[in-house]
């Protein structure tokens, strides 16, 4: 018997409502799905849960509070124990249970992280309670505010008085107030939609949004459906809102989008967006790279190499991307919770001597970050004209952070950054490729490159570094170094392909 089957109908919890706001299908599958089709729990997801618990413990460390006494899962007992603490006027209640029978078929359950006593009028007397949600996030996301409003709704039914506000405690110095007059109506709308979906067993359509889906345990199941049906959500640039707009135009497939025209799309989409979608669809249907229309030529000015022309193999040849005698390919691994960039990996390509050397500047302990930063600067100074290729903007942002943190002369940092070339930006500006995502892994794998640890992800490297700090098992660091080197080599392969593709396009 599942947890939810203990109730005659649906037990709609705060966590279930949160899942529904993030993805309606996820909320549905959590109740009506086949649990055997779930993915195994990812190490990174387990780490996030542990980090969340640690964050809550830190927030509550200096708070004097009481917990209701009940066995987990016995929500009626938890609700009664919470009521008794509130009736006694307990100042702070952690782990409280708010339970409300909405109908014969639906029971609402809320477990706010903290209930704080405030002056006011309620069923208890001249005091009332305000709910607080403690989340690991850095910003007050809309789904967090809806969750806070849900806590407030159930609290209002218990104390027979609406709290004046609810609070969010995030990874920021001060609590964030949630104004209920705005967020309660939005919560009620979401709650109504969730109840209707669950009771009617209306399974939402698959829609793959990689950033949101990546940590979901239903991802493989949903992705298999999307792939088998060639769902248009697998096309880069198709967001949920754009998908609805495309449906309104009668465009349901990648093929029908590829056969459309800007004129067909223009009533709904801006010309730029319409053009991007059409080019992406055509690249996917044709299974080949196409030159992005209205793109600028990807010529890198001399400013990208510290004010000097790159040392090219053929000085008389016009180049679209700097092909220098010495080139750097740069990738970073970080542990966000520790606020440390612990691996600065550099692949040095010497085209004249035909050598490829990988330098893993590794902080075996977070305190070594300053040392590896200086080692990286030393290597960079040995080849002052070498362009530094990287993928996306994290590497440039990190160089700015480390330069500021360790008091590197601003002019030195500026000169270093002038050599940076973002390969991801150049790809996005110049070509359309038949890929599901413009991430490094998808792009490099389309070119035939494969990571030595095929299942490894950037999120997993965070877990491996934490495990290294706990166990001292060197094999964990070896795996991270291997992954980082492959990231550098993937960037190298991508850059070389792009340079050749653009050169051929210009010549033709």
């Amino acid at each position: 018997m599942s947890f939810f089957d203990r109730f005659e109908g649906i037990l709609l919890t705060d966590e279930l409502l949160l899942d529904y706001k993030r993805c309606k299908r996820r909320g549905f599958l959590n109740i009506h799905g086949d649990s055997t089709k779930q993915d195994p729990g990812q190490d990174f997801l387990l780490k996030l849960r542990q980090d969340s618990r640690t964050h809550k413990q830190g927030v509550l460390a200096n708070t004097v509070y009481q917990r209701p006494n009940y066995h987990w899962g016995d929500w009626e007992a938890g609700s009664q124990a919470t009521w008794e603490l509130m009736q006694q006027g307990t100042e702070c209640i952690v782990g409280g249970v708010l339970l409300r029978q909405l109908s014969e078929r639906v029971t609402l359950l809320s477990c706010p992280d903290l209930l704080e006593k405030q002056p006011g009028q309620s069923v208890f007397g001249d005091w009332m309670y305000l709910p607080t949600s403690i989340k690991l996030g850095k910003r007050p996301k809309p789904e967090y505010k809806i969750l806070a409003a849900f806590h407030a709704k159930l609290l209002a039914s218990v104390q027979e008085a609406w709290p004046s506000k609810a609070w969010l405690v995030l990874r920021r110095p001060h609590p964030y107030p949630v104004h209920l007059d705005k967020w309660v109506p939005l919560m009620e709308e979401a709650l109504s939609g969730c109840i209707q979906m669950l009771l009617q067993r209306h399974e939402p359509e698959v829609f793959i949004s990689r950033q949101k889906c990546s940590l979901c345990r239903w991802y493989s199941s949903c992705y298999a459906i999307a792939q088998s049906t060639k769902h248009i959500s697998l096309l880069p640039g198709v967001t949920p809102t754009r998908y609805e707009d495309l449906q309104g135009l009668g465009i349901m497939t990648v093929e029908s989008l590829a056969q459309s025209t800007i004129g067909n799309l223009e009533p709904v989409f801006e010309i730029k967006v319409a053009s991007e979608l059409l080019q992406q669809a055509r690249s996917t249907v044709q299974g080949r790279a196409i030159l992005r229309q209205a793109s600028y030529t990807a010529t890198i000015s001399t400013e990208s190499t510290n004010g000097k022309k790159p040392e090219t193999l053929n000085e008389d040849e016009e180049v679209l991307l700097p092909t220098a005698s010495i080139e750097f390919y740069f990738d970073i691994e970080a542990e966000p919770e520790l606020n440390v960039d612990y691996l600065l990996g550099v692949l040095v390509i010497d085209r004249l001597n035909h050598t490829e050397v990988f330098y893993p500047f590794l902080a075996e302990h977070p305190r070594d970050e300053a040392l590896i930063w200086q080692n990286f600067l030393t290597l960079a100074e040995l080849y002052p004209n070498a362009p530094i290729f990287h993928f996306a903007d994290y590497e440039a942002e990190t160089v700015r952070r480390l330069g500021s943190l360790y008091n590197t002369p601003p002019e030195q940092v500026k000169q270093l950054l002038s050599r940076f070339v973002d390969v991801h930006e150049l790809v996005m500006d110049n070509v359309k490729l038949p890929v599901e995502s413009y991430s490094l892994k998808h792009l490099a794998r389309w070119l035939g490159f494969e990571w030595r640890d095929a299942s490894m992800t950037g999120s997993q490297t965070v877990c491996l570094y934490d495990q290294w700090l706990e166990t001292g098992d060197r094999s964990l660091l070896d795996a991270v170094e291997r992954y980082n080197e492959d990231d550098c080599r993937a960037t190298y392969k991508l850059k070389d392909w792009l340079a050749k593709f653009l050169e051929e396009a210009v010549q033709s």
Side-chain angles (χ1 to χ4, degrees):
M1 179 180 292
S2 74
F3 165 75
F4 298 102
D5 289 334
R6 300 175 194 171
F7 293 80
E8 294 182 359
I10 298 296
L11 180 65
L12 205 164
T13 68
D14 44 12
E15 289 300 318
L16 180 58
L17 183 61
L18 182 60
D19 284 340
Y20 172 82
K21 277 303 298 176
R22 287 170 170 165
C23 171
K24 293 180 180 179
R25 182 176 174 83
R26 178 176 177 179
F28 178 88
L29 293 176
N30 283 346
I31 297 295
H32 298 307
D34 181 355
S35 61
T36 63
K37 295 183 178 180
Q38 286 187 320
D39 298 332
Q42 300 180 36
D43 289 343
F44 186 67
L45 183 57
L46 298 176
K47 170 182 163 53
L48 286 178
R49 290 173 178 169
Q50 180 56 51
D51 289 344
S52 179
R53 287 192 291 267
T54 301
H55 175 58
K56 289 179 182 179
Q57 291 170 0
V59 171
L60 298 171
N62 298 319
T63 302
V64 178
Y65 58 82
Q66 288 184 255
R67 287 182 179 272
N69 184 20
Y70 69 100
H71 293 293
W72 189 92
D74 188 350
W75 304 120
E76 291 90 348
S79 176
Q80 181 60 36
T82 302
W83 166 274
E84 292 171 357
L85 290 177
M86 296 169 74
Q87 192 175 43
Q88 295 166 15
T90 304
E91 292 293 331
C92 294
I93 302 171
V94 169
V97 176
L98 306 174
L99 197 64
R100 177 186 175 188
Q101 191 75 32
L102 189 64
S103 68
E104 291 184 0
R105 303 178 65 189
V106 179
T107 300
L108 305 182
L109 171 65
S110 165
C111 297
D113 295 305
L114 178 64
L115 294 170
E116 293 184 276
K117 182 182 176 183
Q118 301 286 327
Q121 293 298 316
S122 72
V123 69
F124 304 118
D126 59 357
W127 69 89
M128 63 190 308
Y129 286 86
L130 269 59
T132 295
S133 300
I134 304 173
K135 295 296 180 184
L136 190 63
K138 295 181 179 180
R139 58 186 181 85
K141 302 175 183 178
E143 57 262 38
Y144 290 166
K145 297 176 185 179
I146 284 178
L147 191 67
F150 184 69
H151 293 321
K153 175 184 175 69
L154 268 65
L155 178 58
S157 70
V158 170
Q159 67 184 10
E160 298 183 11
W162 275 91
S164 58
K165 63 172 68 72
W167 294 98
L168 283 177
V169 176
L170 307 170
R171 285 191 290 178
R172 50 188 288 172
H174 305 291
Y176 184 92
V178 178
H179 300 291
L180 299 177
D181 56 344
K182 174 182 178 180
W183 289 98
V184 166
L186 296 173
M187 177 273 299
E188 294 284 9
E189 181 181 351
L191 180 61
S192 176
C194 184
I195 291 172
Q196 184 178 8
M197 176 193 72
L198 295 175
L199 291 180
Q200 295 180 357
R201 291 179 173 264
H202 178 68
E203 182 172 346
E205 180 185 6
V206 164
F207 190 95
I208 300 299
S209 177
R210 292 190 179 277
Q211 186 173 7
K212 291 184 177 180
C213 295
S214 61
L215 292 178
C216 178
R217 295 190 66 179
W218 297 103
Y219 173 72
S220 294
S221 174
C222 293
Y223 179 72
I225 295 173
Q227 202 171 40
S228 67
T229 60
K230 297 182 180 179
H231 197 273
I232 199 170
S233 66
L234 296 176
L235 193 74
V238 178
T239 63
T241 300
R242 290 176 181 175
Y243 180 46
E244 291 180 3
D245 291 337
L246 289 170
Q247 286 179 309
L249 294 172
I251 298 174
M252 311 294 290
T253 66
V254 177
E255 288 79 5
S256 61
L257 176 58
Q259 294 169 5
S260 188
T261 65
I262 289 181
N264 293 338
L265 301 182
E266 195 173 358
V268 176
F269 298 99
E270 296 179 359
I271 292 180
K272 180 180 179 181
V273 173
S275 176
E276 294 290 324
L277 290 173
L278 288 175
Q279 291 176 70
Q280 183 60 61
R282 289 165 184 169
S283 172
T284 299
V285 169
Q286 296 169 19
R288 66 182 181 89
I290 62 176
L291 192 65
R292 179 173 175 265
Q293 296 176 11
S295 66
Y296 60 83
T297 303
T299 302
I300 304 300
S301 70
T302 56
E303 292 180 358
S304 68
T305 51
N306 198 20
K308 299 179 181 180
K309 188 174 182 179
E311 297 176 2
T312 60
L313 296 176
N314 185 349
E315 293 287 344
D316 296 326
E317 183 181 0
E318 180 183 3
V319 293
L320 296 172
L321 292 177
T323 301
S325 57
I326 303 291
E327 297 175 352
F328 283 12
Y329 292 85
F330 184 34
D331 187 72
I332 295 175
E333 307 300 333
E335 214 299 14
E337 288 301 310
L338 299 177
N339 194 30
V340 59
D341 293 283
Y342 64 87
L343 176 54
L344 310 180
V346 184
L347 176 65
V348 178
I349 302 296
D350 186 334
R351 294 183 183 273
L352 295 179
N353 294 309
H354 306 289
T355 62
E356 302 176 2
V357 181
F358 178 65
Y359 295 87
F361 298 119
L362 177 65
E364 294 189 357
H365 298 281
R367 62 176 177 269
D368 297 331
E369 184 184 62
L371 176 62
I372 67 170
W373 168 240
Q374 290 303 319
N375 290 340
F376 169 72
L377 291 177
T378 299
L379 178 66
E381 290 170 357
L382 290 176
Y383 304 96
N385 296 323
I388 302 174
F389 296 96
H390 59 100
F391 190 87
D393 55 5
Y394 184 78
E395 279 67 29
E397 292 174 356
T398 298
V399 163
R400 293 186 185 94
R401 183 188 81 83
L402 295 177
S404 174
L405 180 62
Y406 298 114
N407 299 316
T408 307
E411 186 59 32
Q412 183 180 1
V413 174
K414 181 179 179 181
Q415 290 178 347
L416 183 65
L417 288 171
S418 71
R419 297 161 53 186
F420 275 42
V421 182
D422 187 346
V423 177
H424 178 260
E425 182 180 357
L426 292 173
V427 169
M428 297 301 291
D429 285 344
N430 289 280
V431 294
K432 290 294 181 184
L433 302 175
V435 293
E436 294 178 5
S437 164
Y438 283 83
S439 69
L440 179 59
K441 272 197 170 64
H442 278 84
L443 293 171
R445 281 174 171 159
W446 179 72
L447 294 172
F449 181 88
E450 190 52 73
W451 276 250
R452 283 169 285 181
D453 299 318
S455 63
M456 181 78 75
T457 66
S459 298
Q460 285 178 289
T461 63
V462 177
C463 300
L464 292 179
Y465 186 68
D466 285 346
Q467 293 170 20
W468 149 256
L469 294 177
E470 293 175 4
T471 67
D473 182 352
R474 183 71 199 192
S475 67
L476 299 169
L477 286 186
D478 292 341
V480 174
E481 286 185 12
R482 197 162 52 244
Y483 179 81
N484 182 266
E485 179 179 355
D486 286 348
D487 274 356
C488 292
R489 291 189 177 277
T491 306
Y492 172 35
K493 186 176 183 68
L494 179 59
K495 177 265 175 183
D496 264 15
W497 172 86
L498 182 61
K500 293 173 183 176
F501 179 83
L502 294 177
E503 183 176 6
E504 291 173 0
V506 168
Q507 290 175 352
S508 63

